[in-house]
Amino acid sequence: MSIPAYQQIKNFILDQIQKGTWLPGAQVPSENQLVEQFSVSRMTARRALNELSDQGFLKKSQGLGTFVADSRPLSSVLVVKSIAEEVRERGHSYSNNIISVRRIKADSLQATSMGVAEGDALIESTMVHHENGTPIQFEHRLVNPVLVPEYDQQDFNKLTPNEYLSQVAPLTEAELSIEAVQPEKKVGIALEISNQCPCLKVTRRTFSQQGIVSLAELIHPGSRYRLGSKISVGK
Amino acid sequence: MSIPAYQQIKNFILDQIQKGTWLPGAQVPSENQLVEQFSVSRMTARRALNELSDQGFLKKSQGLGTFVADSRPLSSVLVVKSIAEEVRERGHSYSNNIISVRRIKADSLQATSMGVAEGDALIESTMVHHENGTPIQFEHRLVNPVLVPEYDQQDFNKLTPNEYLSQVAPLTEAELSIEAVQPEKKVGIALEISNQCPCLKVTRRTFSQQGIVSLAELIHPGSRYRLGSKISVGK
DNA sequence: CAGTGGTCTAGACCACTGG
DNA sequence: CAGTGGTCTAGACCACTGG
């Protein structure tokens, strides 16, 4: 046989997902069921499930089973540097306007994305970053106070949240998504734009050795901000 | 022992890389050597090496061995893969609708961005990419016919412009910017959205050895597309 | 409790690379 | 050829989840 068994199982599962036979959230056959169905050992069945999980098609839960993941667009690699640094590199003046920094209790959505229990403490900070006095980024951020207990005692005029966090909790991983959105009313007001104006929204989750450090939503007026990069291909 | 054996092996290897004992390109112990060194089975040693390869720290070559990978580029780097590939990886069906492919004479703006003289010939292609029949990307592209003379004779249902170009003119560099915009009327119509809907616009210029190959504007409905990525920091 | 996934073993045969 | 990684087996014990 030229196609490896684990690949055949992967193809079978991907087929079902593609055809819509198995919808997001549906349970896929257990390792033991695949063992019987494909006459393979459990290690081979596991391999198929693990690779599909790593690729984001499936989601495993010990004791529960394996499920079709919510479909997610994924592609690229992007690193966003500190906004203050970026502005200064352009030779412009940087300033910010801190709206609030406070402790809150995680609701269920926040708990899930921060990897804590519902009701656990989180620190929430909200501010607007300016370039030459013009608002260019609205930042809403959640921070895990267990990992960064002194976050809410910082002077963010000295060091931006991003800069402070990268000092005290060096990140090992980051996850980010970029989308175009219409700003909520309060965001539009803070950015001094109409809420017709399309905005670039970057959602960034950072991980350190100890777990999820922070979830940041960064909203930029489309008219005043672009993300750019240049890539050299080392071939 | 609470830390799994494969994790201990991973930590050991990461330590050597971090301390600089093992430099990029250096060969790491083979699976069989790790088996002896850590008194584990080969499957466990393999798991450690495989996970580190998947994470980009190591590079395996059958018959040769496993080596420390070159340290990862950690600048503002973004790679956009083929839209067709991306859709298919999600297990969805890909299709496209070609609006036009034609030769034009460069106006001054086009000439500047393509690095040609005003009045020189360019090929312009316009099309809409679909995922499961829903428009997700409007593509407007300029191509230099001197570098890719047969571009306007391709069947883009077989190979997307991106895929074709990366075959005939392997890129050495790419420049891109991402912004949020309101779509022009004709783009909104092609994408079947209202032109109130904020869109993600990716502008991508690609270079080969010979010069600027192509300038692409890729417009995605904010409601149907996100750019995402996950980054591991190799330190 | 039965069923799930998580870790692990001690083997096997194979394809590939260099000398 | 000996050594490497690639696929695979048929078991084992474990931690976790729900009923």
Side-chain angles (χ1 to χ4, degrees):
Chain A
M1 186 67 61
S2 106
I3 300 169
Y6 73 89
Q7 187 59 55
Q8 291 181 42
I9 300 175
K10 285 178 69 176
N11 289 341
F12 166 75
I13 294 171
L14 283 173
D15 256 20
Q16 307 307 311
I17 295 175
Q18 173 159 11
K19 286 191 295 193
T21 318
W22 297 349
L23 295 171
Q27 185 163 11
V28 309
S30 71
E31 297 176 352
N32 288 318
Q33 286 168 338
L34 291 172
V35 164
E36 289 207 5
Q37 200 171 331
F38 287 89
S39 305
V40 294
S41 73
R42 197 180 142 220
M43 287 297 272
T44 300
R46 268 186 73 69
R47 176 166 182 179
L49 293 177
N50 280 335
E51 293 192 1
L52 288 172
S53 300
D54 289 344
Q55 289 166 34
F57 293 104
L58 301 178
K59 194 98 191 141
K60 314 184 87 176
S61 298
Q62 190 173 10
L64 281 176
T66 303
F67 305 85
V68 178
D70 294 327
S71 62
R72 58 153 196 190
L74 129 33
S75 37
S76 32
V77 178
L78 184 113
V79 179
V80 178
K81 70 173 87 166
S82 151
I83 184 86
E85 192 187 328
E86 212 182 294
V87 168
R88 290 192 194 108
E89 270 182 17
R90 283 201 282 273
H92 292 165
S93 79
Y94 167 81
S95 61
N96 64 37
N97 172 20
I98 298 162
I99 297 173
S100 74
V101 181
R102 54 183 187 144
R103 298 215 167 208
I104 58 171
K105 279 180 198 266
D107 66 27
S108 75
L109 197 66
Q110 294 169 330
T112 307
S113 49
M114 289 294 293
V116 299
E118 200 173 332
D120 280 4
L122 290 176
I123 308 175
E124 177 199 60
S125 65
T126 310
M127 63 185 63
V128 180
H129 301 274
H130 299 255
E131 175 168 6
N132 286 346
T134 304
I136 55 161
Q137 183 186 92
F138 179 91
E139 171 181 345
H140 177 262
R141 187 181 286 272
L142 296 175
V143 171
N144 186 340
V146 174
L147 304 181
V148 194
E150 293 174 353
Y151 180 77
D152 53 354
Q153 289 141 49
Q154 300 310 309
D155 178 359
F156 293 123
N157 288 302
K158 294 267 191 298
L159 230 47
T160 65
N162 187 6
E163 289 167 343
Y164 173 69
L165 289 172
S166 58
Q167 285 189 9
V168 299
L171 65 87
T172 55
E173 232 173 321
E175 214 181 64
L176 67 84
S177 73
I178 303 171
E179 54 195 317
V181 299
Q182 257 172 28
E184 293 169 48
K185 198 162 193 178
K186 62 166 189 180
V187 175
I189 293 169
L191 288 172
E192 300 168 16
I193 55 174
S194 101
N195 48 350
Q196 301 288 16
C197 172
C199 285
L200 203 59
K201 176 174 165 184
V202 177
T203 306
R204 188 173 194 234
R205 201 152 67 131
T206 50
F207 299 71
S208 78
Q209 222 91 37
Q210 284 76 40
I212 300 169
V213 174
S214 173
L215 173 70
E217 292 181 339
L218 311 171
I219 300 171
H220 312 82
S223 53
R224 300 186 201 130
Y225 194 83
R226 277 187 324 157
L227 278 169
S229 77
K230 191 155 190 173
I231 310 153
S232 285
V233 178
K235 248 318 148 40
Chain B
M1 186 66 63
S2 107
I3 301 170
Y6 73 89
Q7 187 60 54
Q8 292 180 43
I9 300 175
K10 284 177 71 174
N11 289 340
F12 166 75
I13 293 171
L14 284 174
D15 254 20
Q16 307 306 311
I17 295 175
Q18 176 159 9
K19 286 192 296 192
T21 318
W22 295 347
L23 295 172
Q27 184 162 13
V28 309
S30 73
E31 297 175 353
N32 288 318
Q33 286 168 338
L34 291 172
V35 164
E36 290 206 4
Q37 200 170 332
F38 287 88
S39 304
V40 295
S41 73
R42 197 181 145 221
M43 288 297 272
T44 300
R46 269 186 72 70
R47 177 166 181 178
L49 293 176
N50 280 336
E51 293 191 3
L52 288 172
S53 301
D54 290 344
Q55 290 165 34
F57 293 104
L58 301 178
K59 194 99 191 138
K60 312 184 90 176
S61 298
Q62 190 174 11
L64 279 176
T66 303
F67 305 85
V68 179
D70 293 327
S71 58
R72 316 172 131 226
L74 188 47
S75 50
S76 285
V77 176
L78 183 113
V79 179
V80 178
K81 71 173 86 164
S82 150
I83 184 84
E85 192 187 327
E86 211 182 295
V87 167
R88 290 193 192 106
E89 271 184 15
R90 285 201 280 277
H92 292 166
S93 79
Y94 167 81
S95 60
N96 64 37
N97 172 21
I98 298 162
I99 297 173
S100 75
V101 181
R102 55 183 186 143
R103 298 213 170 209
I104 59 171
K105 279 180 197 268
D107 65 27
S108 74
L109 195 68
Q110 293 169 332
T112 307
S113 50
M114 289 295 290
V116 299
E118 200 173 331
D120 279 3
L122 289 176
I123 308 175
E124 178 200 60
S125 65
T126 310
M127 65 184 61
V128 179
H129 302 273
H130 298 252
E131 175 167 4
N132 285 347
T134 304
I136 55 159
Q137 183 186 94
F138 179 92
E139 171 182 345
H140 176 264
R141 187 181 286 272
L142 296 176
V143 171
N144 186 338
V146 175
L147 304 181
V148 195
E150 292 174 352
Y151 180 78
D152 54 354
Q153 290 142 47
Q154 298 312 308
D155 179 358
F156 294 123
N157 289 302
K158 294 267 190 298
L159 228 47
T160 65
N162 187 7
E163 290 167 343
Y164 172 69
L165 289 173
S166 58
Q167 285 189 8
V168 298
L171 63 88
T172 56
E173 231 173 320
E175 212 181 63
L176 69 81
S177 74
I178 303 171
E179 53 196 316
V181 299
Q182 254 174 31
E184 292 169 47
K185 198 163 193 174
K186 63 165 188 184
V187 175
I189 292 169
L191 288 172
E192 299 168 17
I193 54 174
S194 101
N195 49 350
Q196 300 288 16
C197 172
C199 286
L200 204 58
K201 176 174 165 185
V202 177
T203 308
R204 189 172 194 232
R205 201 152 67 131
T206 49
F207 301 71
S208 79
Q209 222 91 39
Q210 285 75 40
I212 300 170
V213 173
S214 173
L215 173 70
E217 290 180 339
L218 311 171
I219 299 170
H220 311 83
S223 54
R224 300 189 201 127
Y225 193 82
R226 275 187 324 155
L227 279 169
S229 77
K230 192 155 189 175
I231 311 151
S232 287
V233 179
K235 243 321 155 35

